[in-house]
Amino acid sequence: MYRLIYKSKSNQKIEWQTIENILHASEKGNQEHEISGLLLSTNTHFLQIIEGKYEDVNDVFMKIAKDERHSEIQLICFEVIDARLFTSWGMRGIGVFNFNKEIEKMLMDKYGEEEQSVRFPLEAWRVLSMVDDIHMVQKLPSWKS
Ligand SMILES: Cc1cc2nc3c(=O)[nH]c(=O)nc-3n(C[C@H](O)[C@H](O)[C@H](O)COP(=O)(O)O)c2cc1C
């Protein structure tokens, strides 16, 4: 099992509809290939965690990397994992712009600021720490196996 994390910059302002469109179009493929993960977005940036078999993660990332909706793709990690972190959903989308201002400010204080929102980190451990923080404040279903 593998986990890949990347960060990218959107070519257009990201709104909830943008995330919904992407996830809706990805749902079937992700299900078929047993891809799980998380798509986090601010109004300007994406950060995606993709988990699955090597071939599947590799193939979907190659497709995503060519997608013209985003650019400046920065690969954060592509590593072997013992087990998935995101077992209870397929690919979940979360828009930081939907958080209340207090939570967004807390994340900005901790992780830094970029284009008036949270700066998505470029270190895998910091990404997972951010996911843990978001998990706590959002009361998401269990994400650790
Ligand atoms: C930020 C972002 C995240 C995406 N995540 C996925 C994903 O998890 N799974 C997926 O199949 N496609 C994802 N896509 C869409 C792919 O780039 C591509 O449009 C889609 O897989 C359909 O490709 P196809 O028509 O060649 O099969 C994402 C696109 C963007 C911009």
Side-chain angles (χ1 to χ4, degrees), residues 6 22 26 30 46 48 60 63-64 67 69-70 91:
Y6 75 86
I22 291 172
S26 317
N30 284 350
F46 295 109
Q48 192 172 18
V60 77
K63 270 204 283 193
I64 293 171
D67 198 305
R69 285 172 282 193
H70 62 173
M91 182 62 63

Side-chain angles (χ1 to χ4, degrees), residues 99 103-112 118 133-134:
F99 291 177
I103 291 170
E104 194 174 8
K105 167 92 172 42
M106 182 271 282
L107 292 171
M108 279 156 80
D109 287 345
K110 186 162 174 184
Y111 298 98
V118 187
D133 291 340
I134 290 172

